[in-house]
Amino acid sequence: MTTTAVIAAGGYSCSGTGRGPGIELLGLSIDEATGGPAVERLAVVDLPDPSFVLWSEDGTLLHAVLEGDPTRVVAVQVSADGRGAEVIGDLVVDGTGGCHLSRGTDPSTLIIAQYGAGTVATVRLDDAGAPIEQIDLDDHRDLRDSGDNSVESDLGSPHPHQVVALPGTQLLAVPDLGLDRVLLYRQDVAGMIDLAGEIPLSRGSGPRHLVADHESEQLHISCERSGMVATASRSESAPQRPLPAAMEGPTHRWSVRSMIPASGREGADALSHIELTEDESLLLVANRGPDTLSLLSLAPMRPLLVTEVEVGAHPRHFTQWGDLVLVAAQDGDRIDVLRRSGEELTTAAEPIPAPSVACLAVRPGEPAERP
């Protein structure tokens, strides 16, 4: 008996700037007798540089951002068995270098972080989930501190890198690697996003990705430039003036309480992706430079590094499925397959060949536990 999941792998393609196929759909199976994983290649969609992919909630659609000039957003219809995939929507967005996308608090929208342009774009979806129009564009260049000299140092030059809906709030968080801030947005009834606050980090931190616990009491932020994991804790305060009924409720504020190195190895560490384990007791962080995956315990007052294992070169992203952790090693042209047991990480199988792979996403609804 086997347990199988469909995994979407996006990356830099031969039709773009890399060596990969575009979007590849993989069938990952676990042999219940041996516990060993095996992979089957199901389908390929040739697109230029789909560097981030996102499943719809029902798993029938895959949205991807194409990291080019200009940015494009596509929707791919995927069959139930993962062997059929067809592009049903393709929209050009104002800007360049789109690197991440997320559903808005309005489910009929997608929010796109554009690293190259320094902007955040909002796109409307039709009833079938295809992108049909851009409805908003927020320019982080307007948020630069006066006196920044981005021409010489790139510090202060905006580079939004991710969009995350914060559980327990109506906010969207956007880490900006160049501004050293996490920008907080609120989406209105028309789908437009407006700035609602920010979390400042120390100069040169380079916040890239973040993860929130189930109530957003704590945010854990991977800082690419400093190699640190920042943890911001939430406090609640009443608004300073009366608000319309639709906006009533606590005002959420976060402040950074700790910053710790993500790796115990020597040398520079350009952090990439970060995730919590399902029970929120542990934190996984990918380290580029050391080329490792770190496991941090959240039991102490601040995160504590407990395990660190080597993976392929330039681990760009990873995802979890049950006790497996799949790591997209972009420059290693492979997906590392690890197994987590408590605070231990071990190799579960030989790496899966995957040229220029940049992002991995498990199809929703796939069984995460073995029968």
Short mmCIF file of all heavy atoms in Angstrom, two decimals, residues 49 102 143 223 277 287 296 327 332:
data_model
loop_
_atom_site.label_atom_id
_atom_site.label_comp_id
_atom_site.label_asym_id
_atom_site.label_seq_id
_atom_site.Cartn_x
_atom_site.Cartn_y
_atom_site.Cartn_z
N ASP A 49 10.57 30.83 -16.46
CA ASP A 49 10.92 31.20 -15.09
C ASP A 49 9.75 31.33 -14.12
O ASP A 49 9.55 32.37 -13.48
CB ASP A 49 11.74 32.50 -15.09
CG ASP A 49 13.08 32.35 -15.79
OD1 ASP A 49 13.48 31.20 -16.04
OD2 ASP A 49 13.72 33.38 -16.09
N SER A 102 0.43 35.39 -3.40
CA SER A 102 -0.40 34.84 -2.34
C SER A 102 -1.83 35.27 -2.59
O SER A 102 -2.08 36.31 -3.22
CB SER A 102 0.06 35.35 -0.98
OG SER A 102 -0.79 34.90 0.06
N LEU A 143 8.38 54.58 -0.10
CA LEU A 143 8.58 54.36 1.34
C LEU A 143 10.04 54.44 1.75
O LEU A 143 10.37 54.21 2.91
CB LEU A 143 8.02 52.99 1.74
CG LEU A 143 6.54 52.74 1.38
CD1 LEU A 143 6.16 51.31 1.71
CD2 LEU A 143 5.64 53.72 2.11
N CYS A 223 16.15 36.63 7.66
CA CYS A 223 16.83 37.84 7.21
C CYS A 223 18.00 37.44 6.30
O CYS A 223 19.01 36.92 6.78
CB CYS A 223 17.31 38.67 8.40
SG CYS A 223 15.95 39.27 9.43
N THR A 277 6.81 23.86 11.95
CA THR A 277 6.25 22.52 11.88
C THR A 277 4.77 22.60 12.25
O THR A 277 4.29 23.61 12.78
CB THR A 277 6.98 21.57 12.83
OG1 THR A 277 6.94 22.11 14.17
CG2 THR A 277 8.43 21.38 12.40
N ASN A 287 19.40 27.71 4.57
CA ASN A 287 20.61 28.54 4.60
C ASN A 287 21.39 28.40 3.30
O ASN A 287 21.85 27.31 2.96
CB ASN A 287 21.52 28.11 5.76
CG ASN A 287 20.82 28.14 7.10
OD1 ASN A 287 20.40 29.18 7.57
ND2 ASN A 287 20.66 26.97 7.71
N LEU A 296 15.10 24.70 14.45
CA LEU A 296 15.21 25.50 15.66
C LEU A 296 14.05 25.17 16.59
O LEU A 296 12.89 25.11 16.17
CB LEU A 296 15.19 26.99 15.33
CG LEU A 296 16.43 27.61 14.67
CD1 LEU A 296 16.53 27.19 13.20
CD2 LEU A 296 16.39 29.13 14.75
N VAL A 327 13.41 19.82 -0.12
CA VAL A 327 14.19 21.05 -0.22
C VAL A 327 14.58 21.30 -1.68
O VAL A 327 15.21 20.45 -2.31
CB VAL A 327 15.47 20.97 0.64
CG1 VAL A 327 16.22 22.30 0.60
CG2 VAL A 327 15.13 20.59 2.08
N GLY A 332 22.01 23.28 -6.99
CA GLY A 332 22.35 21.86 -6.94
C GLY A 332 21.54 21.03 -7.93
O GLY A 332 21.79 19.84 -8.10
#
